[in-house]
């Protein structure tokens, strides 16, 4: 059994709803979660048939979910040949971080002033979970909390298109960014502190400070990724 099948098999929920739309959406969410957190290697081959079996649904909603994930840069589909975990060049990864640097501070600035109390509580909870996971050395839990933090921000952004674009850009570099933080304990600790600084500014409703701490976080991510990509 491949890693992604093992990961999906360990998830307790099977898809049983009769709505093809809902089945496709849940298949998309389950597969995206696995692609981000199942420790898959770029270029790893995926089987549509085995994925549908692991999810307990037909191949059609799985195929539709994979097409959406391909549009977001998480998988590559070679018609008639193979489906693989996306492989991105060094330049494409750095291009993604560049776009995040241009867009994400503005997303955080806009969102800081419009967050509801429940959204703010969820963000605070995500950062606390990151801190606990960092202290415990639980890389999987840290990655999940990190993903949740950024998804909450993206969904809460008053400019919906900006939120969607930033989330998609983050997804494209998620695998390598995760490896960078999780294989470097010093970077993992630093990254956790950077998220604490961002959320502290958001809690204070200081949109300029929140944007600046986000920019500094992404600058450090770019430096760390560049070092890893350049020297292995």
């Amino acid at each position: 059994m491949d890693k992604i099948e093992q990961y999906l098999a360990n998830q307790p929920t099977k898809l049983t709803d009769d709505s093809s739309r809902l089945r496709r959406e849940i298949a998309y969410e389950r597969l995206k979660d696995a692609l981000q957190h199942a420790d898959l290697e770029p270029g790893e081959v995926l089987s549509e048939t085995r994925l549908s079996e692991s999810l307990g649904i037909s191949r059609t909603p799985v195929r539709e979910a994979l097409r959406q994930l391909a549009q977001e840069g998480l998988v590559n589909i070679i018609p008639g040949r193979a489906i693989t975990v996306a492989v991105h060049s060094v330049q494409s990864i750095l291009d993604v971080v560049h776009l995040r640097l241009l867009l994400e501070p503005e997303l955080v600035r806009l969102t800081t002033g419009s967050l509801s109390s429940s959204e703010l509580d969820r963000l605070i909870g995500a950062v606390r979970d990151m801190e606990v996971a960092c202290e415990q050395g639980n890389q999987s839990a840290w990655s999940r909390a990190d993903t949740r933090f950024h998804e909450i921000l993206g969904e809460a952004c008053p400019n919906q298109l900006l939120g969607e674009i930033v989330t998609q850009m983050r997804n494209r570099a998620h695998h390598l960014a995760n490896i960078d933080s999780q294989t470097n304990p010093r970077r993992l600790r630093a990254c956790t502190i950077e998220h604490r600084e961002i959320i502290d500014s958001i809690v204070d409703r200081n949109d300029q400070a929140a944007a600046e701490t986000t920019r500094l976080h992404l600058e450090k991510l770019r430096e760390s990724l560049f070092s890893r990509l350049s020297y292995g």
Side-chain angles (χ1 to χ4, degrees):
M1 184 181 291
D2 292 339
K3 283 188 289 187
I4 190 168
E5 295 165 44
Q6 292 176 334
Y7 185 90
L8 291 170
N10 288 330
Q11 307 304 304
T13 304
K14 291 288 184 180
L15 307 184
T16 57
D17 193 277
D18 290 334
S19 167
S20 60
R21 178 175 175 79
L22 181 59
R23 291 160 74 85
R24 182 184 72 241
E25 290 174 349
I26 298 178
Y28 162 79
E29 292 295 336
R30 294 274 306 277
L31 290 173
K32 183 174 78 169
D33 176 67
L35 287 163
Q36 292 179 330
H37 303 295
D39 195 26
L40 306 176
E41 294 296 329
E44 189 168 328
V45 177
L46 306 175
S47 166
E48 184 182 291
T49 299
R50 293 203 297 270
L51 290 175
S52 67
E53 291 172 353
S54 297
L55 290 169
I57 58 174
S58 67
R59 291 173 61 181
T60 298
V62 172
R63 185 179 303 119
E64 293 170 347
L66 287 168
R67 286 173 181 164
Q68 184 175 350
L69 292 164
Q71 292 175 350
E72 297 177 8
L74 291 177
V75 300
N76 292 329
I77 298 177
I78 306 172
R81 294 181 57 189
I83 303 169
T84 65
V85 178
V87 178
H88 298 292
S89 67
V90 171
Q91 188 58 54
S92 69
I93 294 293
L94 294 177
D95 287 347
V96 164
V97 178
H98 183 207
L99 280 175
R100 287 185 64 189
L101 266 165
L102 293 174
L103 299 176
E104 200 160 337
E106 176 64 7
L107 178 150
V108 173
R109 187 189 71 79
L110 289 174
T111 304
T112 295
S114 63
L115 280 168
S116 68
S117 58
S118 62
E119 289 167 335
L120 184 57
D121 287 343
R122 290 167 60 207
L123 279 173
I124 293 170
V127 173
R128 286 175 178 165
D129 288 346
M130 291 174 69
E131 291 170 336
V132 171
C134 180
E135 185 68 24
Q136 296 175 345
N138 188 333
Q139 298 174 355
S140 177
W142 190 94
S143 176
R144 285 178 175 278
D146 178 47
T147 296
R148 190 164 74 252
F149 177 86
H150 289 281
E151 287 183 346
I152 293 168
L153 283 173
E155 291 168 2
C157 182
N159 184 325
Q160 183 178 356
L161 180 58
L162 177 60
E164 292 173 356
I165 291 172
V166 170
T167 297
Q168 289 185 16
M169 289 300 99
R170 184 178 179 277
N171 286 344
R172 287 177 179 268
H174 181 273
H175 174 77
L176 193 55
N178 253 10
I179 291 175
D180 180 62
S181 60
Q182 293 180 14
T183 59
N184 183 342
R186 181 179 299 175
R187 179 60 197 145
L188 183 64
R189 288 191 296 273
C191 194
T192 305
I193 292 170
E194 290 158 21
H195 281 78
R196 167 53 63 184
E197 292 170 347
I198 294 170
I199 194 60
D200 284 348
S201 296
I202 293 175
V203 168
D204 291 340
R205 300 292 184 174
N206 188 332
D207 58 354
Q208 296 297 332
E212 179 62 12
T213 51
T214 299
R215 186 190 66 79
L216 292 172
H217 163 61
L218 291 169
E219 287 279 8
K220 292 173 183 176
L221 172 63
R222 181 169 64 177
E223 292 172 4
S224 185
L225 283 175
F226 182 77
S227 176
R228 172 176 290 275
L229 292 168
S230 298
Y231 304 108

